[in-house]
Amino acid sequence: MKRTLRHSFGIREVKLLWALVLLQACAVPVPPTGGPPDTTPPMLVASEPVSGSVNVVTDRLVFVFSEPIDRSSFQSAFSITPELEGPIDIRGSSRRVEVWLPEKLRDATTYRITLDISLRDQRRVSLAAPVTLAFSTGSELDRARLSGRMVYAADGAAASGVDVLAFASADSADMTEGPLYRTQTGTDGRFVIDYLANRSFFVVGLRDANGNRRMDEGEWVAVPPKERIQADTTDYEITTPWVLYRPDRRSPTVERVRAVAENDIEIRLSEPLALFLDESMPDGHVLTLADSTGTRRQDLAEVWFKEDRPRTLYALADELTPGRWSLSGSLALSDSSGNPIQDFRLEFDVPEGLPTPEPVDFLRWTPDSLYAEGEGAARTVWPMEQPGLRLTRPAMGLDFSFADTSGTVLPWSSIQRDATGYVWMAVSEDPYAVMMRLPGQDSTFSLQLKTASMRQLGALGITLKQGAQPSPTIKAHLYHMDGRGQRLATTVAEGDLILFRELPGGLRGRIVVFDDQDGDDTWSPGSLIPYVPAEAIHWYTFDERVRPRWDTIASDSLSFVATELFVPNRSAKPGE
């Protein structure tokens, strides 16, 4: 007789087995440890309905992915247009997600679904570009499209993850109602909106920080290069970029005033200001300090800053006695958008036992582009520069002297450009030394300087493709390649050439060229309401350094021809 072996589980073994089963069923899916990091974005491998379907009747959408995805990211990444009334119901997890719709779909309508680049897998790897699919509840599917790209205003770099919203007209630019269509830019800043009705749209860029698909205060926007942009079935690309910028209509305010030393008042601002040690601080401040009775008043003229504290200014006062005081008036400063600081009046208490002010000290020579060709060599002053120095706080009675290499004293003239900054006029074409002694101190600070010769200077330039009539409004700003915010030089177009002369040999620069239509010497980003297009702008970085005694002209050229707004990829002419 054949015998069958059986194993009888005891109670203890059964409990252990069930514990293992439950533990496996309830385990939270986490990426396995070890091995190379996963950098492959998730992929949509199937959908219901299939993209391109017509005569669709359904109350749910199904998405199947190549790997488990993060469900919370799906909810923020998903959008459907036309928008539906009521919240959607998202079910499922891992690789399969179902979206149950809150209402019946409209008849004879093309629905467009976007999964934007915020969608990520469980290893937090996001989509590289938005996924778009569409279906129609009628017998035909809208197949028009439009495309473009978004760039940042500062340097023309690609702006990824920006919402692209298509409205019926510029009258919708206030975004109080949702857009007709939506997509996002990819990592290269480009976008494509497919499955559109064959009509024109007002297309806006928006870095939608809170995800409400509305333009809120402080969010980055991009004005379209043309008010009416036609979507059609031809393969045309809009080559003029949407330029992303942050609208700033708020004037800085003074948030706080306090006494920090026996003679020093600290003024705290609501936002940072672009202040550089190499540049002079504007004057014209009107500040009045008064005690609580109003009988003791003084006007404060000395205002200074520290570059490492861009939201803080300091004002020099006579001795501050304990009690209640007020500071009122105006500061002749603006933020980077040109909004002036609002007039203010704030009260503050002066406590007992304030410390004595820090002693004045030498901070550094300016500008910091002054450099020596070797150890102990004189620093070179270029034509675009004015040598000077910066102190840590205001001082009276600085002792300057200038001498040539033989020790002969040279005539000179200095200018106090602000409370802590000084500059002087060139005193000699030959090498010379400047010496400075602070009042009441024995320490002497000295610097060897020489004026750059023409042999050390060169030029950078780039040609313009402007057509037959060069525009006198084309201007350019030159900046350091190292990313510092200071502008080195400004020039205007000379016919079809932008040229910066008398530049230091070895300099690497980047230029911003723009069509200054409003004549304010800065690039203007345009306006959504009323619609005003942004001024044409180009960015160019020189690969070559300035060559002494040489005009370095870029091999590329820049175009400001308005008719090149649309550049065809095929011979067909787009409809307007």
Side-chain angles (χ1 to χ4, degrees), residues 508-572:
R508 281 195 67 205
R510 62 182 181 89
I511 63 172
V512 179
V513 187
F514 59 99
D515 189 1
D516 189 20
Q517 290 289 326
D518 56 11
D520 64 354
D521 292 325
T522 60
W523 173 76
S524 298
S527 167
L528 291 175
I529 307 173
Y531 172 75
V532 177
E535 292 176 344
I537 184 171
H538 288 280
W539 305 263
Y540 191 85
T541 298
F542 287 89
D543 294 326
E544 297 182 75
R545 296 182 182 273
V546 173
R547 295 174 59 187
R549 294 180 291 175
W550 195 269
D551 289 355
T552 301
I553 307 299
S555 56
D556 298 327
S557 59
L558 304 180
S559 174
F560 281 88
V561 181
T563 56
E564 293 187 3
L565 176 64
F566 293 87
V567 176
N569 294 327
R570 56 177 64 162
S571 57

Side-chain angles (χ1 to χ4, degrees), residues 187-226:
T187 54
D188 59 358
R190 296 189 178 278
F191 68 87
V192 177
I193 310 181
D194 288 311
Y195 308 110
L196 302 179
N198 198 330
R199 51 165 295 181
S200 61
F201 296 92
F202 185 74
V203 184
V204 175
L206 174 67
R207 185 165 291 288
D208 192 11
N210 57 13
N212 66 354
R213 293 166 197 168
R214 304 287 188 270
M215 185 175 64
D216 297 313
E217 186 70 33
E219 292 182 331
W220 295 68
V221 298
V223 176
K226 195 174 183 180

Side-chain angles (χ1 to χ4, degrees), residues 350-524:
V350 176
E352 298 276 359
L354 282 174
T356 58
E358 295 180 356
V360 62
D361 199 1
F362 173 83
L363 182 58
R364 74 172 189 182
W365 303 103
T366 60
D368 63 7
S369 58
L370 297 174
Y371 71 92
E373 297 174 354
E375 186 68 27
R379 299 192 189 187
T380 303
V381 180
W382 305 104
M384 66 175 63
E385 298 174 332
Q386 193 167 23
L389 60 85
R390 177 74 63 181
L391 304 178
T392 58
R393 59 177 293 110
M396 298 289 291
L398 297 187
D399 183 12
F400 282 99
S401 65
F402 294 80
D404 61 19
T405 54
S406 68
T408 303
V409 175
L410 299 172
W412 61 278
S413 62
S414 70
I415 302 173
Q416 183 175 0
R417 60 183 185 181
D418 59 43
T420 59
Y422 295 79
V423 295
W424 54 83
M425 308 302 294
V427 296
S428 174
E429 294 184 0
D430 299 322
Y432 65 95
V434 56
M435 287 157 284
M436 187 275 297
R437 181 180 291 110
L438 294 170
Q441 299 185 24
D442 295 331
S443 300
T444 299
F445 301 89
S446 62
L447 178 68
Q448 301 287 327
L449 293 172
K450 65 178 181 180
T451 302
S453 69
M454 295 303 296
R455 292 175 136 190
Q456 297 174 278
L457 305 177
L460 285 178
I462 190 166
T463 56
L464 303 176
K465 292 189 299 185
Q466 301 185 81
Q469 297 294 326
S471 171
T473 59
I474 304 296
K475 298 178 182 178
H477 296 158
L478 176 69
Y479 297 88
H480 274 293
M481 271 298 299
D482 61 10
R484 287 177 298 167
Q486 298 102 312
R487 187 189 309 168
L488 293 178
T490 299
T491 191
V492 296
E494 302 174 15
D496 62 351
L497 181 65
I498 291 284
L499 189 65
F500 291 92
R501 296 182 173 86
E502 297 187 338
L503 299 180
L507 173 73
R508 281 195 67 205
R510 62 182 181 89
I511 63 172
V512 179
V513 187
F514 59 99
D515 189 1
D516 189 20
Q517 290 289 326
D518 56 11
D520 64 354
D521 292 325
T522 60
W523 173 76
S524 298

Side-chain angles (χ1 to χ4, degrees), residues 248 250-252 333-341:
D248 182 8
R250 294 182 178 178
S251 293
L333 291 167
S334 302
D335 62 15
S336 57
S337 300
N339 301 311
I341 297 177

Side-chain angles (χ1 to χ4, degrees), residues 290-310:
D291 65 5
S292 58
T293 65
T295 57
R296 299 174 59 189
R297 302 172 64 88
Q298 56 179 295
D299 295 328
L300 310 185
E302 302 283 13
V303 177
W304 74 98
F305 68 98
K306 299 176 182 178
E307 195 175 40
D308 61 346
R309 303 193 66 186

